[in-house]
């Protein structure tokens, strides 16, 4: 799996929603088994999946030797695409493509750089080179849903790529029921809905609830947004499969009767009532509050957004 971004552990954890035995083996690269191809297309931090041919040292001669020795049960045209992951090696990718491509030509393949039948990926990373045939290309259309381009926009909206990663970690897939109890403009709901989940949003402000519904109708065409209190959700026990929410950052809640701590603690208790797992994003650790609410804290990722903001991504299950 070719990972995106700079945080491999985070990308690998998201990839676990579409595969098993995901293991980071070099910067920007992970191996996995049992990949669900349709789900893998929807991952935010996996660019593509390749069928592994072999692994060697990050050297062109070694990579060519892997290709020469491989059993290849394919016919048609090929293209070789080489990448120096994060510029960690001094390998010339142009030379790598030319020399490895010539090895395939020697084996009877034709070359078509524009529309090949098969694409061989050669990844050079720190202390390793992985070679494989492309099987899944990620659908990376997040720029089409920039918060500023949506019908309803408010400052502070989460980037679509991050919202997609969070909903995947929460179990979003066709038929799953995903809740955002502090949905704001609906960015989390959009990404969950676009991968096929049934979505429900709740927000304390009528303006935000109605605006999120407009965005949801525009991009997804289904889903429901309600005005309500995250500490007293209008939902039955165990009515959701997963929850994602972005807790207020460094400010008091817009719900006048709650302090920030009361809001977050109360919301954590409520979402545990309605779903077995939750991804909570915040500007600080809320581990103690999560445990007090009865959650098991699986993992917390600290992700720097910019100099003054670190997002704490809490993965919780009951």
């Amino acid at each position: 799996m070719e990972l995106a971004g700079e945080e491999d552990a985070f990308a690998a954890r998201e990839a676990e929603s579409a595969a098993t035995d995901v293991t980071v083996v070099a910067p920007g690269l992970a191996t996995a088994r049992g990949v669900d191809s349709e789900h893998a297309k929807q991952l935010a931090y996996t660019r593509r999946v390749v069928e592994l041919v072999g692994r060697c040292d990050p050297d062109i001669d070694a990579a060519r030797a892997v290709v020469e020795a491989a059993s290849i049960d394919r016919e048609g045209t090929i293209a070789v695409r080489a990448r120096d992951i994060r510029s960690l090696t001094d390998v010339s990718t142009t030379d790598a493509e030319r020399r490895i491509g010539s090895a395939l030509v020697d084996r009877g393949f034709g070359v078509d750089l524009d529309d090949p039948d098969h694409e061989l990926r050669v990844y050079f990373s720190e202390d390793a080179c992985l070679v494989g045939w492309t099987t899944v290309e990620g659908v990376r259309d997040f720029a089409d849903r920039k918060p500023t381009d949506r019908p309803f926009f408010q400052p502070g909206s989460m980037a679509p790529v991050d919202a997609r990663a969070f909903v995947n970690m929460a179990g979003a897939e066709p038929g799953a029921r995903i809740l955002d109890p502090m949905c704001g403009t609906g960015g989390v709901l959009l990404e969950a809905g676009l991968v096929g989940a049934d979505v429900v949003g709740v927000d304390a402000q009528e303006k935000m609830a109605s605006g999120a519904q407009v965005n949801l109708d525009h991009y997804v065409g289904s889903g429901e947004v309600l005005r309500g209190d995250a500490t007293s959700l209008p939902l039955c026990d165990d009515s959701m499969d997963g929850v994602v929410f972005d807790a207020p950052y460094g400010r008091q809640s817009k719900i006048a009767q709650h302090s920030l701590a009361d809001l977050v603690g109360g919301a954590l208790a409520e979402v545990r009532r309605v779903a077995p797992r939750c991804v909570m994003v915040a500007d600080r650790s809320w581990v103690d509050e999560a445990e007090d609410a009865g959650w098991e804290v699986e993992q917390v990722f600290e992700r720097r957004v910019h100099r003054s903001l670190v997002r704490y991504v809490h993965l919780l299950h009951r």
Side-chain angles (χ1 to χ4, degrees):
M1 305 182 89
E2 178 187 348
L3 306 179
E6 300 292 326
E7 301 168 85
D8 292 336
F10 181 82
R13 178 60 184 80
E14 186 208 4
E16 290 176 6
S17 67
T20 59
D21 296 332
V22 179
T23 304
V24 176
V25 295
L29 300 171
T31 57
R33 298 180 184 276
V35 177
D36 180 330
S37 296
E38 289 304 311
H39 195 153
K41 291 178 184 177
Q42 307 296 333
L43 294 173
Y45 284 94
T46 296
R47 295 183 183 278
R48 58 182 54 83
V49 179
V50 304
E51 179 185 335
L52 187 63
V53 172
R55 178 178 176 177
C56 60
D57 292 333
D59 174 83
I60 294 175
D61 288 336
R64 178 176 171 126
V66 166
V67 173
E68 289 174 333
S71 174
I72 302 176
D73 184 20
R74 293 169 183 259
E75 297 179 350
T77 57
I78 57 94
V80 177
R81 318 286 192 199
R83 184 180 173 203
D84 179 8
I85 301 289
R86 299 172 191 164
S87 301
L88 292 171
T89 76
D90 294 325
V91 170
S92 167
T93 55
T94 300
D95 288 347
E97 290 171 356
R98 176 178 54 81
R99 294 179 59 188
I100 295 168
S102 69
L104 289 168
V105 170
D106 290 344
R107 297 185 63 166
F109 287 95
V111 175
D112 184 343
L113 299 181
D114 297 320
D115 187 25
D117 296 313
H118 310 287
E119 181 183 75
L120 187 74
R121 289 274 168 176
V122 185
Y123 296 110
F124 297 95
S125 186
E126 188 175 78
D127 298 327
C129 171
L130 272 63
V131 180
W133 298 103
T134 300
T135 59
V136 176
E137 288 279 358
V139 179
R140 307 193 62 76
D141 58 354
F142 304 110
D144 297 341
R145 296 183 298 283
K146 291 187 296 185
T148 52
D149 292 342
R150 297 172 190 164
F152 176 73
F153 166 71
Q154 292 286 290
S157 300
M158 184 183 296
V161 66
D162 289 327
R164 175 64 61 84
F166 301 148
V167 301
N168 281 330
M169 290 176 170
E173 62 183 4
R177 297 160 297 174
I178 300 296
L179 166 71
D180 183 344
M182 300 180 186
C183 69
T185 63
V188 163
L189 304 177
L190 298 185
E191 299 308 315
L194 288 169
V195 300
D198 300 322
V199 298
V200 176
V202 175
D203 200 274
Q205 299 181 73
E206 177 60 35
K207 175 184 177 181
M208 301 301 270
S210 60
Q213 186 71 65
V214 168
N215 286 339
L216 197 57
D217 291 344
H218 179 78
Y219 288 100
V220 181
S222 63
E224 184 177 14
V225 184
L226 310 170
R227 183 179 180 185
D229 183 343
T231 68
S232 182
L233 294 168
L235 299 170
C236 298
D237 293 358
D238 296 314
S239 56
M240 296 286 129
D241 295 305
V243 175
V244 178
F245 74 99
D246 196 11
Y249 290 3
R251 62 183 185 272
Q252 291 300 304
S253 164
K254 295 291 186 179
I255 305 176
Q257 66 265 35
H258 296 306
S259 70
L260 181 60
D262 287 343
L263 171 64
V264 173
L268 283 166
E270 266 294 86
V271 297
R272 185 180 182 278
R273 178 180 66 80
V274 302
R277 53 184 166 181
C278 172
V279 177
M280 183 186 76
V281 185
D283 67 341
R284 68 197 72 181
S285 171
W286 292 97
V287 166
D288 290 345
E289 288 77 6
E291 291 177 340
D292 288 345
W295 289 102
E296 296 287 335
V297 180
E298 175 188 334
Q299 197 167 5
V300 179
F301 291 99
E302 296 182 25
R303 308 189 67 229
R304 183 166 296 280
V305 179
H306 49 70
R307 182 176 298 178
S308 61
L309 176 60
V310 175
R311 279 199 180 114
Y312 290 74
V313 182
H314 305 68
L315 306 187
L316 313 174
H317 65 87
R318 66 184 190 201

